[in-house]
Amino acid sequence: MIPRSFEDIAKSDIEALIANGVAERRTLEFKRDLPGNSEKDRKEFLADVTSFANAQGSDILFGIDAPKGVATIIAGMKIDNPDKEVLRWEEVLLAGVEPRLPGIKLRWIDCGEAGGVMLIRVPASTIAPHRVIFARTNRFFGRKSNGKYEMDTQELRDAFTASEALPTRLRALHLEAVDAALRCDLPIFLGGEPTAIVSLIPTTTFREARDLDVTPEHALAPHKPSGHMEAIRMIEGVLLHTNPGEQGAVRSYAVTHRTGRTDMVWTIGRVVDELKKSETKLVWPQRFEDGLLDAAISGASWLNHYGIDGPWLVMATITGIKDYRLVVSSEYWSDPAWRDQATLPPLMIERMNRAALLPLLRSFWLAFGFERPASPFGGDS
């Protein structure tokens, strides 16, 4: 795939493919023209797209002349209404593939006098295999280095088994992050205060091998760093953390993995008036919500720069909360939490934004036995 965020790919990126003589590969394909309107052409188009979704995903560029598989010129296409053309092919995909392809994106890129190029980004699917059902077809396609092929019975059985196991494998990555935080299996450690641990994991993690060049300058920053941050290079990637306190504990850190995922950890509560008889253990919901939005949205933005798009799995665990009360308002606190740790229901998101994360925000409040208000902090829900 082109190593840039889908929305940021522009004419200059297309020109760079030509200037560098980029060749087709398993995750990048060039086509001179859009398919025709015949039944045969549409079936071929659907077979191409599903074969990539059933494999490692790909960017498909229509409007690139690539004899012998090497991009040589922007052939371009003259379309009166590009938006309508993109919509037409989106509808072809919607009606001709089962199950629906998650996370697929199409857009038109204006290349000036040369015409336009249509880009389709096909992520490796989390619910593969997909079949072509257009015009009474019922066929599954896979992908090899020399092109697509029809999958046999054993390959289909393996594909279905892999899809069923994927959610468990993705969740295990988050549980590793939780375990590392709780066991202090890192070069830094947290204090005993209530803590949130959020993992952002592309659903293609096990379908696309990655080894990103992560540097301290480009790693994900921890939530609300105070003072200067410190960086630690690790086998897994780069860890950035806030200044240690008096006891040597940090309040926030983030790990950017070379495999293309992130973990962010930060404290969400503390003991108030701990030297008095009336000491109270409190958790502030806004600390969790602000941190979750930071971890998910900033993490997705960081990964976008490497051409890694959704769908994403967002997982959050809160620890050390037993006997702590949620500060519902300045006049009201919840009852003490009865459990010490809660892993919130995982959330699969295709397009990362605040609205998509609301189910996790609601689950957090329920961990303290309280329904989340529509506007808990006087702003938008």
Side-chain angles (χ1 to χ4, degrees), residues 118-147:
M118 190 169 82
L119 168 63
I120 303 181
R121 175 156 287 180
V122 188
S125 178
T126 57
I127 54 173
H130 298 268
R131 63 176 175 169
V132 177
I133 59 171
F134 176 71
R136 302 171 301 283
T137 303
N138 185 17
R139 302 171 69 188
F140 295 84
F141 294 90
R143 201 82 192 178
K144 292 182 178 178
S145 57
N146 59 347

Side-chain angles (χ1 to χ4, degrees), residues 151-167:
M151 300 171 73
D152 62 26
T153 303
Q154 183 59 49
E155 288 171 317
L156 286 172
R157 185 179 296 114
D158 292 343
F160 280 114
T161 301
S163 285
E164 291 171 359
L166 182 61

Side-chain angles (χ1 to χ4, degrees), residues 82-270:
D83 291 339
K84 185 177 180 180
E85 186 68 12
V86 169
L87 180 61
R88 182 167 78 92
W89 289 107
E90 287 178 340
E91 292 173 345
V92 169
L93 288 166
L94 188 62
V97 176
E98 187 181 82
R100 184 179 69 87
L101 292 165
I104 191 167
K105 299 178 183 179
L106 294 80
R107 61 181 289 241
W108 188 266
I109 300 173
D110 185 1
C111 293
E113 294 182 0
V117 169
M118 190 169 82
L119 168 63
I120 303 181
R121 175 156 287 180
V122 188
S125 178
T126 57
I127 54 173
H130 298 268
R131 63 176 175 169
V132 177
I133 59 171
F134 176 71
R136 302 171 301 283
T137 303
N138 185 17
R139 302 171 69 188
F140 295 84
F141 294 90
R143 201 82 192 178
K144 292 182 178 178
S145 57
N146 59 347
K148 64 181 178 293
Y149 65 95
E150 189 167 0
M151 300 171 73
D152 62 26
T153 303
Q154 183 59 49
E155 288 171 317
L156 286 172
R157 185 179 296 114
D158 292 343
F160 280 114
T161 301
S163 285
E164 291 171 359
L166 182 61
T168 300
R169 296 180 67 193
L170 291 172
R171 290 170 191 171
L173 296 177
H174 171 67
L175 296 180
E176 287 178 8
V178 174
D179 191 47
L182 296 182
R183 292 193 298 109
C184 298
D185 192 19
L186 291 167
I188 47 90
F189 71 95
L190 299 161
E193 298 174 331
T195 298
I197 304 161
V198 172
S199 299
L200 178 68
I201 308 169
T203 56
T204 56
T205 291
F206 296 111
R207 303 283 294 277
E208 300 175 13
R210 302 187 182 98
D211 185 14
L212 305 182
D213 182 19
V214 183
T215 65
E217 294 76 21
H218 298 97
L220 182 66
H223 180 55
K224 287 191 174 180
S226 57
H228 72 280
M229 292 183 294
E230 296 183 20
I232 301 173
R233 296 178 182 268
M234 306 189 301
I235 294 173
E236 297 83 356
V238 173
L239 183 152
L240 286 178
H241 64 87
T242 54
N243 295 333
E246 293 182 3
Q247 304 300 319
V250 304
R251 299 186 65 83
S252 177
Y253 70 83
V255 180
T256 304
H257 295 261
R258 301 187 197 281
T259 54
R261 61 185 178 91
T262 63
D263 301 312
M264 190 178 289
V265 183
W266 69 100
T267 58
I268 57 175
R270 62 183 175 87

